[in-house]
Amino acid sequence: MTNGVDVSYAQGYINWNVLKDKIDFAILRCARGAYSSTEHRSQTDARFVNNQRECEKYHIPYGVYFFSYAISYEQAKEEGRYCLSLIKGHTLDYPVYYDFEYDSADHYKKSNGIDVSPSFVCECTKLFCEEIRKGGYYSAVYTNEDYIARYYGEQFFHKYDLWLADWRRNGNKRNAKMWQTGKGNFSGFKQDFDLDQCYFDYPAYMKNNHINGYPKPNMLSLHDIALEVIEGKWGAGEYRKKALLKAGYSYADVQAEVNKMLGYK
């Protein structure tokens, strides 16, 4: 078992250099779905970029979670694509979690005038997770006992890993791979943290299965292959595209990384 925290903008500034010696991993809130008609896409968590950078700087294994406000199936897919845009090119040792909870359900009712249904929650979760999977990352679900009873059902988690929020501290009876156990604090920190326990060796799984940003054998990382493209080692135009695809790389991902490295939008 390993011990970690999950964090968001709510924790404000975090001294990760100090926190790294108190935890084994972190789950970072990367973004939330669009909430109002004036928001045309999902919104990045105000502290995510900094938290991600600091975790990578201090070699803290991390995963992410996305707080959904989906009111349609298309929005659930957009949330998945937006989440991928924040993690592409980064190596994650823990899953990408979909988080649909009470505020999500309230927003759905306000927007559509009816209560959210189990079929809608399950389908949105599947659509989000499929977008993450197609992008080469490992998807899973954060939820609680109430939402398992109301919406997901027992069978749903035969396919998706469960990060269970259960603060009653009466043991991990569901054998969830990740368990949010409650809230606590650490010496030297003013803010509280949500505390988590993990019962599965995700870092080894991601590395051994070459997912979540871990390159396949004999393949370069996204950054390194983009650097070779910039150096002209893969030719140009259609020849480059075919060569990259033949070698097993995603042409779109490589080109996006090239553009980012060159400062293009």
Side-chain angles (χ1 to χ4, degrees):
M1 182 190 75
T2 52
N3 294 288
V5 295
D6 58 275
V7 302
S8 70
Y9 71 93
Q11 275 70 42
Y13 169 77
I14 298 171
N15 187 335
W16 289 98
N17 188 31
V18 175
L19 188 60
K20 73 180 191 298
D21 296 323
K22 304 176 186 294
I23 61 173
D24 300 308
F25 67 88
I27 308 297
L28 315 177
R29 182 181 188 261
C30 63
R32 63 164 175 80
Y35 187 81
S36 68
S37 58
T38 59
E39 294 178 346
H40 300 294
R41 65 173 187 173
S42 300
Q43 303 293 307
T44 306
D45 185 275
R47 298 298 305 175
F48 173 66
V49 173
N50 182 78
N51 288 338
Q52 181 185 49
R53 181 175 60 245
E54 293 293 287
C55 282
E56 293 175 349
K57 177 180 178 181
Y58 294 114
H59 306 291
I60 301 169
Y62 74 94
V64 302
Y65 75 94
F66 188 103
F67 194 102
S68 177
Y69 278 120
I71 58 174
S72 68
Y73 295 147
E74 183 55 41
Q75 187 177 351
K77 290 190 285 187
E78 183 277 333
E79 291 178 344
R81 292 190 292 268
Y82 188 85
C83 182
L84 274 176
S85 74
L86 299 177
I87 60 177
K88 273 295 186 181
H90 297 268
T91 302
L92 278 62
D93 284 296
Y94 285 82
V96 177
Y97 291 98
Y98 183 69
D99 180 11
F100 190 101
E101 51 183 282
Y102 296 103
D103 202 34
S104 313
D106 289 344
H107 175 60
Y108 179 91
K109 185 172 183 177
K110 290 175 183 176
S111 301
N112 293 334
I114 57 173
D115 289 329
V116 67
S117 67
S119 61
F120 179 83
V121 174
C122 288
E123 187 62 21
C124 282
T125 304
K126 291 175 183 177
L127 290 170
F128 176 94
C129 289
E130 179 61 15
E131 291 293 329
I132 300 303
R133 187 198 64 79
K134 288 191 298 185
Y137 286 80
Y138 193 101
S139 56
V141 182
Y142 169 89
T143 195
N144 56 41
E145 291 286 0
D146 183 30
Y147 267 40
I148 293 174
R150 283 201 212 183
Y151 301 116
Y152 286 114
E154 302 291 336
Q155 299 297 316
F156 193 84
F157 295 100
H158 291 176
K159 183 175 181 180
Y160 298 100
D161 287 0
L162 170 63
W163 174 16
L164 179 66
D166 186 353
W167 293 17
R168 293 173 295 180
R169 295 184 176 274
N170 60 353
N172 185 8
K173 293 181 178 179
R174 281 190 177 276
N175 292 317
K177 290 182 178 178
M178 184 82 77
W179 180 26
Q180 187 185 70
T181 60
K183 194 176 290 289
N185 50 50
F186 301 99
S187 60
F189 290 86
K190 294 181 180 180
Q191 65 268 62
D192 289 333
F193 295 88
D194 287 341
L195 305 178
D196 302 283
Q197 295 176 346
C198 188
Y199 298 85
F200 183 74
D201 191 350
Y202 279 118
Y205 183 89
M206 305 307 180
K207 185 175 182 179
N208 292 339
N209 288 276
H210 316 295
I211 56 176
N212 270 30
Y214 279 102
K216 295 179 181 178
N218 303 318
M219 289 184 69
L220 298 174
S221 68
L222 188 58
H223 177 274
D224 288 346
I225 191 63
L227 187 60
E228 285 198 355
V229 168
I230 293 171
E231 292 172 348
K233 295 181 180 180
W234 289 81
E238 192 64 24
Y239 175 86
R240 175 200 294 171
K241 181 176 182 179
K242 290 180 179 179
L244 288 168
L245 291 172
K246 185 177 180 180
Y249 296 100
S250 165
Y251 176 76
D253 290 346
V254 173
Q255 193 59 50
E257 183 70 10
V258 167
N259 292 341
K260 185 172 73 173
M261 292 171 69
L262 294 176
Y264 300 148
K265 293 183 177 180

